[in-house]
Amino acid sequence: MLTPEARRAVEQAATEPQVFEEGFDIEASRRAARELAAAQPREDVDEVVDLDADGVRCRLYRPAGARPGAVVHLHGGGFVFHDIDVHDAAARRLANRARRAVVSVDYRRPPEHPFPAAPDDVDTVLRWIDREGAAHGLDGPLYAHGDSAGGNLALVAALRHPGRFHAVALIYPFLDPTSGFDSYRTEQHAFDLREAEWYWQQYAADPADREHPDLAPLRSDRLWTLPPTLVVTAEHDPLRDEGERLAEMLAEHGVTVVATRYLGQIHGFWRHHDVFPAAQPLMLQVVGFFEAQSA
């Protein structure tokens, strides 16, 4: 059963333009998201600075008394939407609660920059951290965090760089370009099969790319290399089953994995702590998971 706030969000989404409708304006949608985010309240963080990581724009958040290490945050938005400005408030909350620096990555997006631009940008940032991180106080354990499409990118980054991350947290990750799991047909609430397919069409300009494990990480033969991984799903999310299948596969490979399904929730709830009460405990769960791997 949907929670009351999830039900209201679904009703609101039904009144908004859909990405798969003819004439949908991608740039206008991006602009509207930035404007909405700019109007939201945000927490103070001791230091917030924009960085150029070898051509990739990033934003560094450092809370007062930051402990060693950093969280690399990869934003969601179907690969197409959102950016570090839209995720600014969420990144601030993450930094303050983790008491660690957060590096939010403004990777290139399709359709202007299809796969593999986004994962390649993450690689660039990781190389920059290896070379320049100490000068910015980023030495120490590194953690990967991402929601939705960002969860895909966080997972791919960990697979491309085995041993680089201390732990990974994936919030309802977007993993299966075939949309083949049952939840795509049973849990179409404010996010459905048509929307998912549209995102994959933008991201995978070449249909052959949908077979590549750097785009479809459930196909990877290196899942066994992952560090401790948290996989969070939402009960009424089309992506629920693919996330939970990932958790099963990691367990089968002997990876330390924790999987949590948030009951009554829909896709996207994590970022909107002012709307969804469950977003607060989820943030603390992520922070607690990272902390547990640091003990």
Side-chain angles (χ1 to χ4, degrees):
M1 179 182 296
L2 292 167
T3 63
E5 61 275 5
R7 190 177 305 109
R8 288 192 292 270
V10 170
E11 292 169 354
Q12 174 63 32
T15 68
E16 298 172 350
Q18 303 300 307
V19 294
F20 48 80
E21 293 175 347
E22 185 175 355
F24 181 85
D25 190 330
I26 292 175
E27 197 50 51
S29 180
R30 288 171 174 169
R31 185 167 55 252
R34 287 193 297 269
E35 291 171 354
L36 180 62
Q40 294 175 338
R42 60 201 63 212
E43 298 177 356
D44 289 333
V45 179
D46 191 57
E47 179 186 5
V48 179
V49 59
D50 283 0
L51 299 171
D52 182 338
D54 291 341
V56 181
R57 182 185 176 221
C58 296
R59 185 166 293 158
L60 170 64
Y61 304 82
R62 190 189 315 282
R67 293 177 294 180
V71 179
V72 176
H73 170 64
L74 300 162
H75 68 80
F79 303 105
V80 178
F81 299 111
H82 300 176
D83 56 20
I84 59 176
D85 295 322
V86 173
H87 273 237
D88 183 70
R92 288 167 179 264
R93 293 193 299 273
L94 179 59
N96 282 338
R97 284 150 187 75
R99 292 186 293 149
R100 283 191 172 89
V102 169
V103 178
S104 187
V105 179
D106 208 13
Y107 57 83
R108 287 172 293 171
R109 297 165 300 175
E112 300 91 339
H113 304 285
F115 174 84
D120 286 352
D121 282 355
V122 179
D123 285 354
T124 297
V125 171
L126 293 177
R127 288 193 296 270
W128 179 86
I129 290 174
D130 287 343
R131 191 183 71 250
E132 304 289 344
H136 295 273
L138 300 178
D139 46 337
L142 204 62
Y143 306 85
H145 177 274
D147 65 301
S148 193
N152 177 302
L153 296 174
L155 176 58
V156 168
L159 291 168
R160 281 185 167 190
H161 301 272
R164 185 67 184 88
F165 293 105
H166 214 66
V168 176
L170 310 175
I171 313 301
Y172 34 72
F174 194 27
L175 305 175
D176 178 27
T178 73
S179 303
F181 290 90
D182 288 345
S183 53
Y184 276 98
R185 279 148 283 281
T186 63
E187 303 299 340
Q188 299 192 29
H189 305 281
F191 179 30
D192 64 19
L193 186 60
R194 293 170 296 174
E195 184 175 355
E197 175 58 25
W198 184 87
Y199 289 133
W200 289 117
Q201 287 175 358
Q202 312 311 305
Y203 189 46
D206 182 350
D209 286 338
R210 297 195 185 196
E211 305 292 320
H212 199 294
D214 284 355
L215 183 145
L218 291 177
R219 294 179 172 272
S220 176
D221 61 1
R222 294 179 292 175
L223 292 174
W224 62 273
T225 67
L226 289 174
T229 301
L230 172 66
V231 182
V232 171
T233 59
E235 180 182 14
H236 300 296
D237 181 358
L239 309 189
R240 182 195 67 206
D241 289 355
E242 63 204 72
E244 293 177 4
R245 178 56 187 148
L246 171 66
E248 292 172 352
M249 294 171 72
L250 296 186
E252 291 165 0
H253 284 294
V255 174
T256 298
V257 59
V258 173
T260 304
R261 178 192 292 189
Y262 277 73
L263 301 181
Q265 300 303 320
I266 60 173
H267 190 80
F269 81 94
W270 166 78
R271 190 166 58 88
H272 301 284
H273 79 293
D274 53 336
V275 176
F276 297 95
Q280 292 279 21
L282 172 51
M283 180 72 80
L284 295 177
Q285 181 185 12
V286 169
V287 170
F289 182 79
F290 286 161
E291 188 62 25
Q293 309 315 315
S294 303

